[in-house]
Structures are given as structure tokens and as C-alpha cells.
Amino acid sequence: MDVPPISRGFRSRRREQGLTDRIPPGQYVTTDFPVLSAGPTPQINLEEWTFALQLNGWVLGEWKWAEFQGLPQTTIKTDIHCVTKWSKLDTIWQGVSFDDLLKAVDLGEAPFPYIMAHCDGGYTTDVPAADLIGGKGMIATRYEGSPIPPAHGGPARLLVPHLYFWKSAKWVRRLRFMEQDEHGFWESFGYHNHGDPWKEQRYDGD
Amino acid sequence: MREVIVETSRVKSLLLEVAGWQGHLAGQHVDIRLTAEDGYQAQRSYSIASPPEDEFVTLTVERVENGEVSPYLVEELRSGDQFELRGPIGGYFVWTIAMGGPLCVVAGGSGIAPLMAMLRHRDWRNSRIPAVLLYSSRTLEDVIYRKELDAMARRDPDLQVVGTLTRKQPEEWTGYRRRIDTSMLADVCFPPDRTPKIYVCGPTLFVEDVSSFLVELGHDAIAIKTERFGPTGGPAQ
């Protein structure tokens, strides 16, 4: 389809033309915060919550909730982009940056180039370590100054805002370093393996 | 677009002839892209309501007030009009006869669309897999596919269709008269020991509630597949 058919009578109702440098192709801005999950929202008890960094069978570091709160905290303001076409601007998140997690286990750099995020409910997603270092990724525990609501991934979600938001896995419990890339959950159901919204990498083959 | 079916005052079904369509599974969706005369484009996702066996791809679209794409699709689009469509998309929220049952589908409002594809698929194949639909609407006028569902249930002893009207009920209404709750799900859905395949689709808060009630009743979270849409219902912003 080189020349798309014109939809007679269809016109933009949005006033976001001035923001085009912030809105990736095919996205629209919402002020709401839609919820998309493959299954029920898990109810997670903070007393039993742990977060771990893992390499093959080894646990590089593991933190209980209070310990995790004791790690250096970072706050970022960022735009987020969901593959279902909505984008939300200027969202504020607080948590522990991936760089600080590596430091907490005395690593100067990622030991393997790929990472699988494992979550409550069995969800997984794969992300290159390069997309998390240098302040690009964090484990977020607060949204807009409050604990992240469970439906939005609380108590803790991976946040990789420069990729489509399914990569920012909800209810994350473990990051596992991998020598070779593997597909996570949506990646094995036809979604793009990398998911860069600026290249509109929505689905496999984009 | 081949044909439009008026479903309710706010909902229409669009029957589409798609060039090069490779077929789909019940529960999958498509992305559509509209292009304005000035080149502006907008994309949205819609569930497919037709079964794989159907010759047309049917999208059932609810007009969202102040929406950009749905008012156009519901009010402006005429048969013969063309737009870009991509799909099918999504391989998780799907059900096929081969996956077996029993099948329990729970719909809120226009969330019925992908679940209807599953029921139509089952019906088309004359499957005897036990199935139940629990369908929540505001009023009787808001019930989409009402006649078709009634007819399907009448001729199929293995299908149970249960409705609940949450806002207004006619006097003669014999279904439920409240929002879906744990006891309603316990009465209508197959018990956990029959390990039903469960699909829940509707507005975000509806799906959050129904899926948590199902977990409360003892259903395995992994057996509950969900699709949410629309606003979160939080404070207006």
C-alpha cells in the first residue's frame, strides 16, 4: 500500500501538532492511563516481595522490599508509548536505576548483553542490557509521587520508557542476564523483539 | 467496507472485505489506519467479531464520545469506502475448538466483540464443548448481538447465555440486575475443578473486578485471559 486511501470526511480532532517531535508515528496523546495486561492483576504482599538480579543459576543480588527502598533512588520525568497507540507525556517515576543495581552488586557493566525480566503472573519480556544502562532503565516503585497502583504494575515495574511500554514489565521480580537473546511473552506472540516506537517496531517484521 | 449493521444506538458492525486476508483466530484484533486529505493519519486497534469461518472480517465499533476514530467509523463510513487494515494481531487472547473447554467468556459492554468471535466459531463448527457467556450491559438497548445470542442459545443445549443489566431493567427481564460479583460468577461460571478456559473482555475496571473475583473463587490466574480497554475510571483529568 504505497498510497493510502484517503478517508473522505476524516480529519484530525487532536491539537498535538506542536508536539510532533515528542509523539512517535502512529501514536496519539492521552491524559488517562490505560491498563493493558494479559491476565488478572496479582495481589502482592510486600512482606514476601523480593527482587533479584540473576546470572544463569546464580543470584547476583536479592533485596527485600525495605532493602530495595534503601538503594539509591532516582526520579525521572518521561514520555511513555504503548503499542496500542496511546502515548502519555511527562510521567514521573521514582525507583532504582539499572546502573545503581549493577553498582549494588559490584558490577561495572552488564555481564551478558541480554536480559529477561520475570514477573509475578509468569509474564516475561526480553530487553538488551544496552537499553537499560546509562540511565535508560529503572525498577520503578513510585508513580507521580505515590506507590504504583497494582493495576499499573505495583509494587515494582521495569521502566524502559524509550521502548514500547510492554517492555516496561509490570510486577517485575527478577532480571536475568542472558548470553543469547530469547523471546519474552508478547515477543513470542508476534510482537517486535526490540520495540522502538520511533521506528514503529510494533510487530514482528516491522 | 461491504456493509454496516446497526447493533445499538452507539454501536455498529462493519463488514469488511480485506484484500489478501490470511485468516485469523477467534479473539484476535486488527489495526486500522485512516488517512485524512491533508495526510494526517490515525491508527487504532479493534477486535474481530467474526469467526475465522466467515467470508468477511467484522469489526464491532462503539462510538467513543470525543473520540477521533470511532465517531468516524460509526457515523461517516459508507459501504464501498476503503481504509488500511493490518492483522490479524495477537496470539494470546484467542480460543480455538482445538483448545477445548469448558469455555467461559465474560463480557462487559462492547467487550463482547472478540468473545463473540469465539462463540460464533464454536457455533459454526457445531462444537459440543460446554460454553457459558456472562454478559453485562447497562440497559437492554445496549445489548449487542441480542437476537443472535438468543437464537444461538435456543438451538444449543451446551451453550448458556446469561445477561445482567446494571442500570435499567425492563419489568419482564429475567436475568441479573446488578454488576457482576463473586456470587454471580460462582453461579454462572464453571467451577475451578472443571478447569475452564476463561476470557474476560470489557472496560478496564470491569476486567479488574471480574478477574480478581475469579481468582478469589479459586480459578488459576494463568487460566484467565483478559483484554481491557478504555479509561481507567480514575479521577477525571
Side-chain angles (χ1 to χ4, degrees):
Chain A
M1 270 184 271
D2 300 328
V3 182
I6 303 296
S7 289
R8 167 192 45 75
F10 173 69
R11 59 186 63 83
S12 169
R13 291 199 182 181
R14 313 245 165 211
R15 288 179 197 83
E16 49 211 38
Q17 274 71 10
L19 295 169
T20 42
D21 58 328
R22 288 178 65 182
I23 303 166
Q27 297 291 109
Y28 66 92
V29 172
T30 182
T31 54
D32 192 47
F33 194 170
V35 172
L36 292 119
S37 313
T41 296
Q43 300 303 318
I44 298 162
N45 182 353
L46 288 185
E47 298 291 311
E48 292 159 17
W49 184 91
T50 55
F51 178 80
L53 277 187
Q54 198 182 348
L55 176 77
N56 296 328
W58 302 336
V59 174
L60 299 170
E62 188 172 31
W63 298 269
K64 293 184 170 136
W65 182 254
E67 294 166 340
F68 198 76
Q69 301 305 308
L71 295 174
Q73 298 287 310
T74 301
T75 300
I76 61 163
K77 182 161 150 182
T78 184
D79 302 341
I80 55 178
H81 312 289
C82 179
V83 71
T84 64
K85 324 283 179 337
W86 57 265
S87 291
K88 189 170 171 62
L89 305 182
D90 297 325
T91 59
I92 297 170
W93 303 84
Q94 183 191 317
V96 180
S97 73
F98 183 72
D99 304 312
D100 283 331
L101 279 176
L102 288 181
K103 277 187 208 145
V105 294
D106 299 323
L107 286 175
E109 56 182 36
F112 283 148
Y114 301 100
I115 284 163
M116 187 70 80
H118 294 264
C119 306
D120 276 305
Y123 183 81
T124 54
T125 191
D126 58 309
V127 186
D131 280 290
L132 297 177
I133 57 170
K136 291 197 287 292
M138 66 155 61
I139 304 297
T141 54
R142 296 180 80 79
Y143 170 67
E144 304 287 337
S146 302
I148 302 175
H152 288 303
R157 78 182 293 165
L158 181 62
L159 183 71
V160 201
H162 69 287
L163 301 180
Y164 280 126
F165 214 46
W166 87 79
K167 294 286 187 183
S168 293
K170 293 172 181 176
W171 316 304
V172 67
R173 294 293 293 273
R174 199 153 53 90
L175 294 185
R176 177 172 62 90
F177 289 101
M178 306 184 288
E179 207 163 359
Q180 306 287 337
D181 199 8
E182 297 167 20
H183 283 344
F185 180 85
W186 288 120
E187 294 82 7
S188 53
F189 283 110
Y191 284 79
H192 197 275
N193 197 46
H194 189 225
D196 181 344
W198 294 97
K199 296 178 181 161
E200 212 171 354
Q201 295 171 334
R202 296 180 192 277
Y203 312 115
D204 198 16
D206 281 344
Chain B
M1 185 174 72
R2 183 63 175 271
E3 199 187 323
V4 183
I5 298 171
V6 178
E7 304 282 6
T8 74
S9 61
R10 297 188 306 152
V11 177
K12 285 181 185 167
S13 288
L14 318 176
L15 276 58
L16 309 173
E17 244 170 14
V18 185
W21 186 248
Q22 302 289 312
H24 68 280
L25 301 173
Q28 288 187 298
H29 66 271
V30 295
D31 281 3
I32 69 159
R33 183 160 74 175
L34 302 180
T35 303
E37 273 172 29
D38 64 359
Y40 173 82
Q41 294 188 319
Q43 296 186 40
R44 292 294 186 280
S45 301
Y46 290 98
S47 290
I48 303 171
S50 48
E53 293 81 5
D54 207 336
E55 65 169 313
F56 300 114
V57 173
T58 301
L59 309 183
T60 298
V61 180
E62 178 176 23
R63 193 183 64 221
V64 177
E65 296 312 324
N66 304 317
E68 182 177 44
V69 172
S70 67
Y72 176 82
L73 294 177
V74 171
E75 309 296 344
E76 298 286 333
L77 201 64
R78 301 282 175 269
S79 55
D81 284 352
Q82 297 193 9
F83 55 84
E84 290 175 285
L85 180 148
R86 181 171 185 197
I89 294 158
Y92 184 68
F93 193 86
V94 298
W95 183 77
T96 62
I97 303 263
M99 290 167 69
L103 173 67
C104 174
V105 296
V106 185
S110 60
I112 185 73
L115 307 176
M116 194 62 181
M118 298 176 190
L119 296 177
R120 284 167 165 165
H121 168 59
R122 182 185 161 283
D123 186 63
W124 197 289
R125 301 286 195 88
N126 292 315
S127 161
R128 307 303 305 266
I129 292 171
V132 58
L133 163 67
L134 177 56
Y135 183 9
S136 174
S137 310
R138 287 175 184 157
T139 71
L140 194 60
E141 291 71 44
D142 291 316
V143 178
I144 307 167
Y145 317 127
R146 195 169 128 218
K147 281 188 184 141
E148 185 181 349
L149 284 169
D150 285 346
M152 223 187 246
R154 262 199 307 275
R155 65 172 178 262
D156 183 349
D158 299 309
L159 170 68
Q160 204 197 348
V161 172
V162 180
T164 183
L165 301 179
T166 57
R167 199 163 286 180
K168 200 174 80 191
Q169 308 87 9
E171 254 173 51
E172 67 278 13
W173 175 252
T174 55
Y176 288 101
R177 295 165 178 253
R178 61 181 201 267
R179 284 166 179 267
I180 293 177
D181 53 28
T182 311
S183 75
M184 195 188 299
L185 286 165
D187 289 344
V188 175
C189 187
F190 302 96
D193 60 10
R194 292 193 62 189
T195 60
K197 311 267 188 301
I198 305 175
Y199 297 81
V200 186
C201 185
T204 299
L205 289 179
F206 172 89
V207 174
E208 285 297 311
D209 281 349
V210 169
S211 57
S212 69
F213 298 152
L214 287 163
V215 170
E216 235 172 78
L217 285 171
H219 293 282
D220 191 352
I222 212 84
I224 306 168
K225 298 187 177 182
T226 61
E227 201 131 276
R228 299 157 169 87
F229 58 77
T232 46
Q237 295 182 42

